[in-house]
Amino acid sequence: EVDDDLELSRQQEVREDATPSTGCKSKRGSNYTNLEDIQLCKSWIHISNDPIIGNQQPGKTYWERIANDFHMNRNFESDRTPNSLEHRFGIILKECMKFQGYYEEVERCHPSGIPYQEHLLEAHARYARKANGKNCQFEQCWLTLRHTQKFESTLEANKKPAKSRELNLSVGIEQENDESSAQGQETSSIPSAKKARPPGRKQSKEKLKKNEGDDDYKDMMQNLLVMKTEEHMMKKERWEKDMMLEQRKLKMEEEWLQWEQEQKIMFCDVTTMDDDQRAYVKAKRANIVKAMSASVGETASDESAV
């Protein structure tokens, strides 16, 4: 298919670039060079984006302007006519869009981080398999066009279903009025912007299901938070209870030690002691008896109050 397109392009160039002369056969036009192809792409972008002329560019005038821009900015020999440039660009645009499709396939198949050159090589390989081993001749043109708005909009327009697909070489140009159409002038049009469609029944159900899932998740997280709070409170109560038991244990141990000391003082043998020791023991005994009497009195008063 690629070879057929290129052959048709050459035949068209022969017819359009031939110099008519009386009594002489038509001269075959030379093949397009890489420099001509690249400049043609640049001129197409420049004229399509011309803010002064805008969208009101009839097809014939449009390609005449591209041809003028092409010849004004070229730095090589060329005598291409507007018709020849238009036909040549049709081939370039078609092949560049094919290559862009293969390149996007490669990008979708590979994760990020793969070098750009590897993507490019694999895209060339896929192109060659579809073109019976022929390599893409328009890589430089593709590099010139691929990131431009006009090329992207043309690419999107040609991704429509086959019934409505139409290769439009002059994207960004509106159709002429009825008078110009009656005169047989070719026109081109901007692909109409897609209107946002309201969500369908299936999308609405999925959205509702998603919202229900979110509510379940919120409830689950809320329950988990309550459980964590209750667990924290239980741990705190257990810790406080353990502290109370520990303090009570320490108090009982202190009371036991005090009781043992008091027992030794109350029942020790003072006959073997000197006067100072006996005086000390008697004073301690008096304090012990006094403290015990006060304790017994408090206990009795508490019981009587009850």
Side-chain angles (χ1 to χ4, degrees), residues 8-74:
L8 288 174
S9 176
R10 295 191 185 99
Q11 293 176 4
Q12 182 73 7
E13 291 158 14
V14 170
R15 291 194 298 270
E16 294 168 350
D17 289 341
T19 304
S21 59
T22 306
C24 297
K25 294 183 179 180
S26 297
K27 182 180 178 181
R28 176 183 173 87
S30 60
N31 293 335
Y32 273 78
T33 64
N34 192 37
L35 292 176
E36 286 180 307
D37 289 339
I38 294 174
Q39 182 57 52
L40 175 56
C41 293
K42 292 179 179 179
S43 297
W44 178 76
I45 295 169
H46 179 222
I47 298 303
S48 297
N49 292 331
D50 192 337
I52 299 177
I53 301 299
N55 294 330
Q56 302 298 328
Q57 300 186 59
K60 183 177 180 180
T61 305
Y62 174 69
W63 281 103
E64 287 176 353
R65 287 176 56 80
I66 291 178
N68 291 335
D69 186 270
F70 174 84
H71 290 295
M72 286 177 60
N73 293 283
R74 62 179 171 82

Side-chain angles (χ1 to χ4, degrees), residues 273-281:
M273 299 179 183
D274 57 21
D275 294 335
D276 293 333
Q277 290 176 341
R278 281 195 296 270
Y280 175 80
V281 171

Side-chain angles (χ1 to χ4, degrees), residues 56-281:
Q56 302 298 328
Q57 300 186 59
K60 183 177 180 180
T61 305
Y62 174 69
W63 281 103
E64 287 176 353
R65 287 176 56 80
I66 291 178
N68 291 335
D69 186 270
F70 174 84
H71 290 295
M72 286 177 60
N73 293 283
R74 62 179 171 82
N75 55 2
F76 46 81
E77 293 295 329
S78 178
D79 57 353
R80 306 296 182 181
T81 64
N83 289 337
S84 176
L85 293 174
E86 179 180 3
H87 186 77
R88 178 63 175 180
F89 187 74
I91 299 296
I92 293 174
L93 185 59
K94 184 177 180 181
E95 299 308 316
C96 286
M97 287 194 297
K98 286 182 182 179
F99 189 80
Q100 176 68 19
Y102 297 134
Y103 187 82
E104 290 177 356
E105 288 180 3
V106 174
E107 282 189 323
R108 287 193 296 269
C109 293
H110 291 284
S112 59
I114 301 298
Y116 160 78
Q117 290 297 334
E118 291 190 14
H119 284 179
L120 200 60
L121 290 174
E122 188 167 345
H124 273 292
R126 296 191 180 200
Y127 181 98
R129 284 197 296 269
K130 294 292 184 179
N132 297 324
K134 299 293 183 180
N135 294 326
C136 180
Q137 303 177 16
F138 303 106
E139 179 181 342
Q140 294 300 321
C141 295
W142 173 74
L143 292 173
T144 303
L145 295 170
R146 63 180 300 226
H147 291 305
T148 62
Q149 183 179 359
K150 297 302 178 183
F151 180 73
E152 292 176 354
S153 59
T154 305
L155 199 63
E156 289 298 324
N158 284 274
K159 288 181 180 179
K160 295 178 180 179
K163 292 183 179 180
S164 60
R165 186 179 302 164
E166 188 178 60
L167 182 60
N168 196 337
L169 303 184
S170 51
V171 174
I173 305 172
E174 294 182 348
Q175 292 185 347
E176 288 184 273
N177 53 28
D178 295 337
E179 181 180 355
S180 299
S181 299
Q183 295 175 357
Q185 293 177 327
E186 299 178 357
T187 60
S188 53
S189 60
I190 301 177
S192 58
K194 296 182 179 178
K195 296 182 179 179
R197 296 179 59 186
R201 184 177 181 183
K202 184 177 180 180
Q203 291 180 346
S204 300
K205 286 185 177 180
E206 290 177 352
K207 185 177 180 181
L208 180 60
K209 187 182 296 183
K210 183 178 180 181
N211 291 336
E212 290 176 355
D214 291 342
D215 293 338
D216 293 339
Y217 177 78
K218 290 179 181 178
D219 293 340
M220 183 181 67
M221 293 302 297
Q222 186 68 25
N223 294 335
L224 181 61
L225 182 61
V226 172
M227 291 174 61
K228 288 290 184 182
T229 304
E230 292 177 353
E231 183 180 0
H232 176 72
M233 295 298 296
M234 291 175 64
K235 287 183 178 180
K236 184 178 179 181
E237 292 176 359
R238 192 181 302 116
W239 178 81
E240 291 176 351
K241 187 180 293 185
D242 292 340
M243 287 296 296
M244 290 177 62
L245 292 174
E246 186 67 21
Q247 290 176 358
R248 185 178 297 178
K249 181 180 179 181
L250 291 175
K251 185 177 180 181
M252 291 177 65
E253 290 178 354
E254 290 176 356
E255 290 176 351
W256 175 257
L257 291 174
Q258 183 179 357
W259 182 82
E260 285 184 340
Q261 291 178 356
E262 290 176 351
Q263 290 296 312
K264 290 179 180 180
I265 292 172
M266 292 297 293
F267 299 102
C268 65
D269 186 10
V270 295
T271 57
T272 59
M273 299 179 183
D274 57 21
D275 294 335
D276 293 333
Q277 290 176 341
R278 281 195 296 270
Y280 175 80
V281 171

